[in-house]
Amino acid sequence: MTDNIELTHQQERAFQPQRLSAPRDFILPSIIGENENNLPLLLEIGAGKGKHALGFALQNSDKHLIAIERTRNKFEAFAKLAAIQSSPNLDAIHADAIAWTVHAIKPSSLAKIFILYPNPEQHNPNQQWLNMPFFEFLLSRLQVGGEVVLVTNIEAYMDNAEQQATKVWCLPNTRYTVAADSQRTHFEVKYLARGETCWELSMCKPEGYKTRFDEWQVGNISEGLIA
């Protein structure tokens, strides 16, 4: 990893992907190795029981979604429904999203990333997604013009995310209020039914955006290319 490039963002602390082992029973989905139909590749982090992923796959046959969930009981519920639905454009993955992304996703390969109603980590804000050095690595996996979509019902979380997107990550972004009849996830249905406001932040990766990981791939570890 070279430190001599002029970075587009203002994040000083660097993520260290070389420290992460591959998840247990790690297998690459065939779409990553082949993608014969050249479908846009999308990633969902924290898919829960899969409501959004399953619905998205049905409604977007021209896109391929990889949906990751770490919690076993949620993933098992998701996997059962995914097996019944059997959408060829959906891969349900049981793994830690950070380690899995490091070992599976190539630079500039994702058209879109969904982070829908993440744990707000109110007692540990360093673990909020846009506060983490890993977010730089995640942006390196995104294509130019690609989008990161973050949704939450916690106003303070959204306020911080919007500020970080603008001041630290230097990403063009737009904040929306989620429509009252939206039903993408189980959380979304519950929060809106209670009359809560939910917010969505859309962040776009502009032309010429530079990170420390634009050329970084898993092979770099064995090749000794990590500084």
Side-chain angles (χ1 to χ4, degrees), residues 18 20 26 44 47 56 120 156 187 202 204 212:
Q18 72 276 15
L20 292 182
F26 175 72
E44 181 174 355
F56 185 90
F187 284 128
S202 170
C204 181
R212 283 167 280 212

Side-chain angles (χ1 to χ4, degrees), residues 49-51 53-55 57-58 67 74-93:
K49 296 180 180 179
K51 180 175 174 59
L54 293 161
L58 280 178
K74 290 182 180 180
F75 174 76
E76 289 177 349
F78 176 20
K80 287 179 182 179
L81 293 173
I84 293 170
Q85 182 170 301
S86 191
S87 294
N89 62 327
L90 173 63
D91 283 297
I93 304 293

Side-chain angles (χ1 to χ4, degrees), residues 2 11 21 48 83 112 123 130 168 173 207 223 225:
T2 187
Q11 171 63 257
S21 300
K112 196 168 188 174
H123 300 294
L130 273 78
V168 175
N173 64 87
E207 184 78 37
E223 293 168 10
L225 298 182

Side-chain angles (χ1 to χ4, degrees), residues 151-227:
V151 187
T152 182
N153 68 316
I154 306 294
E155 187 172 12
Y157 190 109
M158 180 54 68
D159 289 344
N160 175 72
E162 184 178 19
Q163 180 179 32
Q164 293 292 96
T166 301
K167 294 185 176 181
V168 175
W169 299 112
C170 305
L171 296 170
N173 64 87
T174 306
R175 177 172 175 169
Y176 305 93
T177 299
V178 175
D181 60 351
S182 187
Q183 299 184 15
R184 287 174 293 188
T185 77
H186 291 98
F187 284 128
E188 189 162 84
V189 171
K190 179 175 70 173
Y191 298 146
L192 293 174
R194 294 195 307 218
E196 296 184 23
T197 300
C198 297
W199 291 272
E200 178 171 326
L201 188 67
S202 170
M203 297 161 273
C204 181
K205 182 177 179 179
E207 184 78 37
Y209 196 92
K210 299 293 184 183
T211 81
R212 283 167 280 212
F213 306 102
D214 294 339
E215 306 298 328
W216 197 95
Q217 300 196 55
V218 175
N220 295 161
I221 296 175
S222 60
E223 293 168 10
L225 298 182
I226 299 300

